[in-house]
């Protein structure tokens, strides 16, 4: 039922320094002959250039000696994932299709999508954590993708750098046309959600290492309160998410009965609702100021009755929670329909009257298939014939 992530791919010969923890960066510098006594200082310098100033090339690092810059450039890169395509929605949402570096067996390049969602008071970046997804929720486009590989921490952090490159979101950079600074006066990327392709808690170490870099106060410095990790319910890693990462948690609940959740989120057969909610109650750092968001996708005549709404509030009693109703975003071949607006409003009213904030998530970027659950790598969208043609082309190269 669950897909196993592909391990057999070869990272590029010249590795990128993006996404290395401070100790790993020190080790990398040591390996090219930087003396031990200089390591701390050099790590701080490079960290600052990479994550505060957004340096894309070693030559930009003017506080690092010319000689060392040349040695660094001979051994490492500052590469981010490559942009294969960029789309901008009529509502300002931007979606990047990213090609990941490295060689691997198989015909398709490894690709993920990353989405930027501007709002008046914030700019949210939605990151992917896997090519495809280990799981196969029946309403999710990503779940239908066969190929799965875990992203490295560098590929996850690289999505943030790349978004800031494209948006002009570095000190002194020119802001990209059509983009604007949120009303809090801060940066264009002010929030991060792990809600792109993949199940973050099935790629725990890389996600943890990446988020600790994203939250690092001497670098990108996005507060952990502004980072949300969404999981379909990998119960054994929920507590670790709280203690080892400490970000906000969102849980894709979507159903109030195991029978139905088994179908919508098949992982439920392994970790049923009871166990999932017990892990939520015990989430480290949980309080009224730090609530868990429960996501609930509105599927017509499947999970959207008023009885469901009432059962939902009963189920969550006692957990500091927000409930986020997500209108279902259709994709080619999906078997569900989105509940009509009236039904969503009535559902939301029951939840609201029970004392929960119950925002309905406005679908963003639907015209470019950038909304929740619509992401899927372009190469997987090709027909079998097109894929064969591509393979033939690759063989004659
Ligand atoms: N794998 C993680 C995070 C990525 S999905 C998870 O499942 O939580 C982010 C959110 O989008 C999840 O709540 C997911 O259930 C929801 N989603 C998936 N497909 C969707 C669709 N077609 N329409 C609306 N929401 C969807
Ligand atoms: Fe994977 Fe999340 Fe989609 Fe389920 S909803 S298939 S866990 S990305």
């Amino acid at each position: 039922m669950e897909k196993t992530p592909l391990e057999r791919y070869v990272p590029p010969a010249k590795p990128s320094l993006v996404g290395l923890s401070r100790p790993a960066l020190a080790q990398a510098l040591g390996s090219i002959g930087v003396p031990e006594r200089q390591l701390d200082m050099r790590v701080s310098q490079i960290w600052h250039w990479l994550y505060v100033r957004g340096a894309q090339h070693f030559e930009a690092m003017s506080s690092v000696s010319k000689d060392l810059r040349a040695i660094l450039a001979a051994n490492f890169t500052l590469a981010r994932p490559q942009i294969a395509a960029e789309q901008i929605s009529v509502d300002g949402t931007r979606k990047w299709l990213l090609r990941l570096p490295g060689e691997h067996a198989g015909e398709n390049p490894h690709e993920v999508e990353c989405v930027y969602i501007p709002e008046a008071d914030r700019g949210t970046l939605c990151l992917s954590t896997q090519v495809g997804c280990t799981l196969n929720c029946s309403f999710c486009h990503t779940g239908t993708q066969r190929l799965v590989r875990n992203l490295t921490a560098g590929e996850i952090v690289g999505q943030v750098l790349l978004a800031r490159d494209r948006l002009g979101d570095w000190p002194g950079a020119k802001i990209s046309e059509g983009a604007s600074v949120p009303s809090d006066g801060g940066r264009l990327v002010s929030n991060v959600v792990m809600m792109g392709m993949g199940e973050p808690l099935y790629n725990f170490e890389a996600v943890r290492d990446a988020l600790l870099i994203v939250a690092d106060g001497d670098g990108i410095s996005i507060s952990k309160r502004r980072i949300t990790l969404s999981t379909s319910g990998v119960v054994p890693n929920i507590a670790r998410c709280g203690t080892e990462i400490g970000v906000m948690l969102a849980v894709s609940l979507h159903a109030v009965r195991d029978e139905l959740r088994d179908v919508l989120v098949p992982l439920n057969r392994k970790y049923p609702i009871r166990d999932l909610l017990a892990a939520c109650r015990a989430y480290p750092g949980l309080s009224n100021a730090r609530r868990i968001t429960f996501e609930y996708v509105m599927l017509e005549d499947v999970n959207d009755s008023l009885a469901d709404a009432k059962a939902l509030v009963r189920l969550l009693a006692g957990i500091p929670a927000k409930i986020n109703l997500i209108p279902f975003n259709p994709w080619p071949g999906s078997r569900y329909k989105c509940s009509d607006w009236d039904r969503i409003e009535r559902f939301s009213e029951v939840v609201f009257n029970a004392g929960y904030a119950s925002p309905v998530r406005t679908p963003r970027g639907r015209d470019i298939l950038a909304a929740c659950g619509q992401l899927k790598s372009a190469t997987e969208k090709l027909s079998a014939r097109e894929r064969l043609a591509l393979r033939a082309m690759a063989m004659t190269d």
Side-chain angles (χ1 to χ4, degrees):
M1 179 185 71
E2 289 164 31
K3 293 161 256 172
T4 313
L6 185 75
E7 297 290 355
R8 283 180 44 242
Y9 71 98
V10 184
K14 218 191 210 190
S16 173
L17 294 182
V18 172
L20 296 186
S21 63
R22 281 196 175 78
L25 187 53
Q27 200 178 21
L29 297 182
S31 76
I32 56 162
V34 174
E36 174 93 40
R37 65 194 148 72
Q38 285 186 13
L39 282 179
D40 279 356
M41 185 258 296
R42 295 295 183 207
V43 165
S44 302
Q45 279 179 329
I46 292 174
W47 196 269
H48 179 83
W49 281 110
L50 254 178
Y51 299 123
V52 178
R53 306 284 284 267
Q56 295 182 37
H57 308 285
F58 290 108
E59 301 89 84
M61 300 186 170
S62 53
S63 59
V64 177
S65 75
K66 230 174 162 177
D67 289 351
L68 180 54
R69 283 186 337 231
I71 300 173
L72 285 167
N75 290 279
F76 304 110
T77 71
L78 302 177
R80 298 83 155 103
Q82 261 180 350
I83 299 185
E86 177 180 64
Q87 283 174 286
I88 304 183
S89 157
V90 289
D91 69 13
T93 299
R94 295 178 187 220
K95 180 170 89 168
W96 296 285
L97 174 68
L98 305 177
R99 183 144 317 154
L100 305 175
E103 288 169 24
H104 53 86
E107 66 204 84
N108 290 335
H110 290 179
E111 291 174 336
V112 291
E113 293 179 324
C114 171
V115 180
Y116 175 69
I117 308 143
E119 289 173 88
D121 63 341
R122 67 181 67 187
T124 304
L125 193 65
C126 178
L127 304 182
S128 289
T129 58
Q130 298 182 309
V131 175
C133 184
T134 329
L135 302 170
N136 45 10
C137 303
S138 55
F139 56 90
C140 174
H141 202 194
T142 308
T144 63
Q145 195 165 319
R146 294 173 306 277
L147 176 72
V148 181
R149 112 144 149 78
N150 280 330
L151 265 58
T152 63
E155 289 163 344
I156 298 170
V157 175
Q159 294 172 60
V160 181
L161 302 190
L162 181 137
R164 296 186 70 189
D165 296 343
R166 293 300 297 168
L167 292 164
D169 192 24
W170 296 110
K174 186 171 169 292
I175 293 177
S176 156
E177 209 181 303
S180 53
V181 178
S183 60
D184 69 359
R187 290 165 301 179
L188 277 86
V189 177
S190 62
N191 293 54
V192 164
V193 294
M194 309 305 275
M195 295 188 187
M197 295 166 68
E199 169 47 58
L201 294 189
Y202 269 147
N203 185 13
F204 187 83
E205 281 78 14
V207 167
R208 174 194 59 202
D209 296 352
L211 289 183
L212 293 180
I213 292 176
V214 171
D216 186 286
D218 293 319
I220 302 171
S221 197
I222 296 179
S223 142
K224 289 181 181 178
R225 305 285 310 257
R226 288 174 174 256
I227 302 177
T228 302
L229 183 150
S230 174
T231 180
S232 56
V234 183
V235 166
N237 282 343
I238 287 182
R240 288 185 74 193
C241 177
T243 49
E244 295 179 40
I245 317 180
V247 291
M248 308 300 283
L249 183 69
V251 171
S252 296
L253 189 61
H254 305 317
V256 291
R257 288 170 288 117
D258 282 323
E259 223 186 336
L260 176 60
R261 196 163 187 273
D262 282 350
V263 176
L264 300 179
V265 185
L267 184 66
N268 194 67
R269 290 183 220 149
K270 203 163 178 180
Y271 307 117
I273 294 176
R274 220 182 115 106
D275 298 358
L276 177 57
L277 293 184
C280 290
R281 284 199 170 82
Y283 189 62
L286 183 63
S287 71
N288 280 333
R290 290 170 58 95
R291 293 164 189 263
I292 294 178
T293 300
F294 288 90
E295 296 160 286
Y296 196 95
V297 64
M298 300 299 295
L299 304 170
E300 184 173 82
D301 295 332
V302 173
N303 65 354
D304 64 349
S305 72
L306 291 186
D308 284 320
K310 288 176 193 154
L312 179 62
V313 297
R314 274 199 305 274
L315 200 59
L316 300 185
I319 306 179
K322 284 185 260 186
I323 296 168
N324 197 181
L325 303 179
I326 315 177
F328 170 65
N329 290 307
W331 37 272
S334 56
R335 63 170 121 139
Y336 299 103
K337 275 172 71 180
C338 181
S339 313
D340 68 40
W341 193 248
D342 195 48
R343 182 64 71 92
I344 297 180
E345 275 197 330
R346 279 190 290 146
F347 195 103
S348 151
E349 219 170 83
V350 172
V351 172
F352 180 79
N353 288 340
Y356 292 100
S358 60
V360 178
R361 194 182 287 173
T362 322
R364 298 292 302 266
R366 265 187 178 176
D367 54 335
I368 56 169
L369 281 185
C372 301
Q374 290 182 313
L375 305 183
K376 188 167 175 181
S377 309
T379 40
E380 287 253 351
K381 289 177 198 149
L382 301 178
S383 67
R385 210 164 97 216
E386 288 165 320
R387 272 202 297 271
L388 273 176
L390 265 182
R391 190 156 49 171
M393 270 161 55
M395 281 178 353
T396 52
D397 261 2

